[in-house]
Amino acid sequence: MKYVIVHAGGMADQPRQELGGLTPLQASSTPHLDRLAQSGELGRLVIPADGLLYGSGLSSTAILGYDPKKYYQGPGPLEAASLGVSVTEHDVAYRCTMVTVRPEGGKTGGEIKKLGAHVILDDATAGLIDTEEARELIEAINEQLGSETIQFYPGAGHRHLMVWVNGKSRAVCVDPKTVLGRSIADALPTGDGADILRKLMDAAHLILRDHPVNDDRVAAGKKPANCVWLWGEGRAVMWPSLPEKYRIKGAVVATSDVQRGAGICAGLDAVDPDRLAAGDLRAKAAMALAECAKKDFVYVHAGLTDEVVHSSDPNAKVRGIEAFDRDLVGPMMDGLAKQGPYRYLVICDHGDASQGPAFYVFGEGGSKGSAPAGRRFTESDAQAAETPARDATKFVNKLFANG
């Protein structure tokens, strides 16, 4: 028996006026997902996260069977695991996101002497800066600000990492997406250790403000990456091995560092993201099938691209969902059928557990099911299903039961 979890990150949504009151999933043509909804168990998934700061990686932690209240410390440590950065239980790992700030009432790229009042967060992705440009900027910051206790590490796109060795973990930091378009004054780090974080952000701004990479970006009409935003902090926590618990061999297939890191923390082998051709869903499906041929279990994460997530056009999300169904779900299910018996769990969430519940479809290859006619893989169909909401942390027991 083969076991597969496919995680559709960020594809669940609210009804959109531009789509006639439909969610992007409802407005999409998804014959492969709908076929699974017809033959499998469809329902809602509860992510137990009371009292936790929501963030990327929380859903993955729960989906893989780990109680977030015990094992999820924030996306920072998961990103560190993916990047191969050693973090001890005494260190604090932060997501170091490149963003664009501007003076209140001023234009992007205008002079800012100090981060705080009258500074607006203009773009939470620094204009979707590419990895090579960002790497040069992060290396410049580390060269000038790095020390025995503070180190900056390049990641991908606008997402990077900072590690504070023997650092303080009680500062309160916020996701930059929640600050977009407004003053950063009340969103800068607060609490124990916040003074150090603020000084680092101020110093990094001065380095970035006059860096040639940003001069070139402004000249090309792009937004400068003129600030780093520190958040998603957490200490490393040792996770018990999922393969040892269920006596299986497993792999994680993901281009997102956070989800890849969750798989690594769970004890799964991680496919090199360079082999996945970022954004190429067919390549991801082929790699997942290749891993299934060699192992018992594969966790596949396939979120929408940054361009789609940050687009104001819901039709872009529709196109992304249709590509996910056509290029990943279809080939994977067809390929699994050729490898023998298999059990699948497809999970769809909002990308942030605070934005709404996740839902799922679970079943075995070749099962017929007895779903109501016309049932689809959508938020409303999952809500209407008679299946009780399931605790995400306990679903792996059901997935591997009697395996």
Side-chain angles (χ1 to χ4, degrees):
M1 178 75 78
K2 302 291 184 179
Y3 308 92
V4 176
I5 295 177
V6 178
H7 185 175
M11 296 186 195
D13 207 333
Q14 304 298 323
R16 307 291 284 270
Q17 184 177 355
E18 303 94 326
L19 299 175
L22 301 177
T23 68
L25 267 169
Q26 289 173 319
S28 300
S29 173
T30 53
H32 303 292
L33 287 169
D34 295 343
R35 186 176 75 230
L36 297 181
Q38 283 284 319
S39 59
E41 173 188 305
L42 184 68
R44 292 163 293 137
L45 205 62
V46 177
I47 309 293
D50 293 342
L52 293 178
L53 289 174
Y54 293 108
S56 179
L58 190 150
S59 292
S60 298
T61 302
I63 289 165
L64 291 171
Y66 300 89
D67 183 350
K69 293 189 287 293
K70 183 176 182 180
Y71 295 104
Y72 180 74
Q73 302 295 308
L78 300 182
E79 193 141 0
S82 177
L83 295 175
V85 175
S86 178
V87 180
T88 75
E89 61 182 7
H90 303 294
D91 307 331
V92 186
Y94 292 81
R95 294 199 87 176
C96 179
T97 300
M98 290 199 155
V99 302
T100 303
V101 293
R102 61 173 173 81
E104 188 176 36
K107 64 180 181 178
T108 299
E111 184 175 353
I112 297 170
K113 294 182 179 179
K114 185 178 178 62
L115 299 177
H118 310 300
V119 176
I120 303 297
L121 199 147
D122 188 60
D123 193 303
T125 68
L128 293 172
I129 187 169
D130 67 57
T131 298
E132 290 308 311
E133 286 183 316
R135 177 181 292 271
E136 188 173 342
L137 294 175
I138 287 292
E139 288 175 349
I141 292 172
N142 194 56
E143 183 178 341
Q144 297 188 51
L145 302 181
S147 65
E148 290 184 359
T149 56
I150 297 291
Q151 285 289 314
F152 293 84
Y153 299 90
H158 59 282
R159 302 181 183 93
H160 306 278
L161 184 73
M162 187 194 86
V163 175
W164 184 357
V165 177
N166 295 318
K168 298 179 180 180
S169 63
R170 294 189 177 181
V172 177
C173 306
V174 302
D175 186 335
K177 293 195 298 293
T178 65
V179 194
L180 187 61
R182 62 183 182 88
S183 169
I184 68 172
D186 296 329
L188 290 169
T190 59
D192 191 24
D195 54 337
I196 300 295
L197 301 178
R198 287 188 178 219
K199 287 178 181 177
L200 286 168
M201 291 171 67
D202 274 324
H205 168 67
L206 295 178
I207 295 168
L208 296 174
R209 185 183 64 186
D210 302 319
H211 196 282
V213 166
N214 278 324
D215 291 340
D216 292 342
R217 288 182 64 80
V218 172
K222 300 177 182 178
K223 292 185 176 182
N226 59 3
C227 181
V228 293
W229 195 269
L230 301 176
W231 68 288
E233 68 282 0
R235 297 190 189 277
V237 174
M238 187 67 70
W239 294 14
S241 170
L242 184 149
E244 288 182 8
K245 179 178 180 180
Y246 294 102
R247 299 182 181 180
I248 58 169
K249 293 181 179 179
V252 54
V253 178
T255 48
S256 162
D257 279 322
V258 172
Q259 277 74 30
R260 185 170 180 269
I264 291 171
C265 289
L268 304 178
D269 295 334
V271 172
D272 186 341
D274 290 340
R275 298 172 63 195
L276 296 175
D280 188 335
L281 293 169
R282 287 192 176 275
K284 190 169 285 187
M287 188 58 64
L289 287 170
E291 290 298 313
C292 276
K294 298 180 291 183
K295 298 180 174 70
D296 309 296
F297 166 62
V298 176
Y299 170 52
V300 184
H301 178 272
L304 297 171
T305 65
D306 286 335
E307 289 81 1
V308 171
V309 170
H310 296 283
S311 172
S312 59
D313 178 14
N315 287 296
K317 196 165 189 178
V318 169
R319 292 190 293 272
I321 290 169
E322 290 181 341
F324 169 78
D325 182 77
R326 179 186 64 245
D327 297 337
L328 188 136
V329 178
M332 274 200 66
M333 295 306 157
D334 290 344
L336 283 168
K338 296 175 183 177
Q339 292 188 14
Y342 66 94
R343 194 174 289 167
Y344 63 84
L345 173 63
V346 180
I347 292 166
C348 185
D349 63 21
H350 290 252
D352 185 330
S354 67
Q355 297 175 2
F359 67 99
Y360 72 91
V361 62
F362 167 77
E364 291 192 7
S367 61
K368 299 299 182 183
S370 57
R375 187 165 81 174
R376 300 188 61 212
F377 186 75
T378 69
E379 302 90 345
S380 58
D381 285 275
Q383 184 70 31
E386 297 179 356
T387 309
R390 293 190 180 276
D391 183 335
T393 63
K394 295 180 172 59
F395 214 117
V396 287
N397 292 329
K398 184 176 176 65
L399 179 69
F400 296 121
N402 302 317

